[in-house]
Amino acid sequence: GENVEQHPSTLSVQEGDSAVIKCTYSDSASNYFPWYKQELGKRPQLIIDIRSNVGEKKDQRIAVTLNKTAKHFSLHITETQPEDSAVYFCAASKNFGNEKLTFGTGTRLTIIP
Amino acid sequence: EAQVTQNPRYLITVTGKKLTVTCSQNMNHEYMSWYRQDPGLGLRQIYYSMNVEVTDKGDVPEGYKVSRKEKRNFPLILESPSPNQTSLYFCASSLRDRVTEQYFGPGTRLTVT
């Protein structure tokens, strides 16, 4: 089955700096990669996703990049703000989202004021 | 309001005492799933259901049962809970062809002593 590895497990950045979280996947058939954000004590919520036919996708301060050859994808947050502090999970799915999600182990991001 | 609800939100129980955690969604979603979240292990899928009367094992199904008799409900059953099932449990739902866009419930924190 699919295996998704996520790094780092914890990340602290100064407010205003950029943060990057990286994931690798094992199944070359995976083609849909969402990212979820979980604030303290809250439920995970989808923040952005990318399909394998796209190399990069942006939404305001958040961007995701995908390297199919290397089987890795990354989340980039620019101009970080205190409300970006949360646990972020990457995930992978096959059949453009029609099959089960496999999640990474999560990254706890702390923004230092 | 579109939502996924879980009950109870918190539960402390003893080894061997059967329990059920309920999950209900009002979005007419075909897909429903149960996850457990443990520190350092991320979100691991227990069981999922693509539609009524259709259920499949996820990555960690041992010690759990599910049923899907109605589209809106997907209860998680622990027939004989053990301390290693102490965890935070999330139910999630989505449209069948948009499994990557899952809506999560608020979570159930279970402690088995």
Side-chain angles (χ1 to χ4, degrees):
Chain A
E2 174 67 280
N3 182 47
V4 178
E5 294 189 357
Q6 184 171 348
H7 300 281
S9 56
T10 60
L11 178 62
S12 295
V13 301
Q14 292 286 341
E15 183 177 351
D17 287 350
S18 295
V20 181
I21 301 170
K22 300 181 180 180
C23 290
T24 59
Y25 59 100
S26 61
D27 190 340
S28 57
S30 290
N31 52 24
Y32 210 156
F33 308 95
W35 286 86
Y36 283 77
K37 175 183 180 182
Q38 185 181 27
E39 296 177 359
L40 187 63
K42 301 285 182 65
R43 68 195 77 187
Q45 290 188 297
L46 178 70
I47 56 172
I48 194 168
D49 57 15
I50 190 168
R51 295 180 176 224
S52 62
N53 56 354
V54 174
E56 182 175 1
K57 183 176 180 180
K58 286 184 179 180
D59 183 3
Q60 299 182 344
R61 298 185 296 107
I62 295 174
V64 290
T65 57
L66 172 65
N67 183 325
K68 285 194 301 182
T69 304
K71 290 191 284 187
H72 69 69
F73 56 112
S74 301
L75 176 71
H76 305 253
I77 306 174
T78 59
E79 301 173 13
T80 53
Q81 300 171 5
E83 55 263 36
D84 295 328
S85 292
V87 177
Y88 292 82
F89 293 99
C90 63
S93 175
K94 290 191 274 193
N95 200 14
F96 292 109
N98 285 348
E99 296 190 22
K100 67 186 287 292
L101 281 176
T102 299
F103 284 89
T105 52
T107 296
R108 181 174 297 280
L109 174 64
T110 302
I111 307 303
I112 305 167
Chain B
E1 179 190 356
Q3 59 183 349
V4 179
T5 57
Q6 293 178 229
N7 282 291
R9 295 289 314 280
Y10 304 90
L11 179 60
I12 300 174
T13 190
V14 296
T15 300
K17 186 176 181 182
K18 181 180 178 179
L19 66 92
T20 299
V21 183
T22 64
C23 173
S24 184
Q25 51 91 7
N26 63 0
M27 295 171 279
N28 203 34
H29 285 166
E30 297 91 354
Y31 182 93
M32 297 186 75
S33 181
W34 277 102
Y35 298 91
R36 60 177 290 175
Q37 183 177 9
D38 302 289
L41 297 177
L43 290 159
R44 293 181 294 167
Q45 191 175 51
I46 303 169
Y47 269 95
Y48 65 99
S49 169
M50 297 300 289
N51 216 325
V52 176
E53 301 292 359
V54 179
T55 61
D56 278 297
K57 295 178 180 179
D59 299 315
V60 289
E62 293 78 20
Y64 305 94
K65 287 176 58 177
V66 293
S67 67
R68 189 88 183 274
K69 294 185 173 61
E70 305 167 283
K71 197 172 187 179
R72 64 183 292 128
N73 297 322
F74 191 45
L76 179 69
I77 303 158
L78 285 72
E79 295 269 3
S80 183
S82 62
N84 64 11
Q85 293 179 298
T86 292
S87 187
L88 178 60
Y89 291 86
F90 286 100
C91 179
S93 73
S94 73
L95 293 171
R96 180 188 173 89
D97 59 351
R98 298 293 284 174
V99 173
T100 53
E101 295 180 16
Q102 294 187 24
Y103 293 84
F104 282 78
T108 295
R109 186 165 293 282
L110 172 65
T111 301
V112 184
T113 61

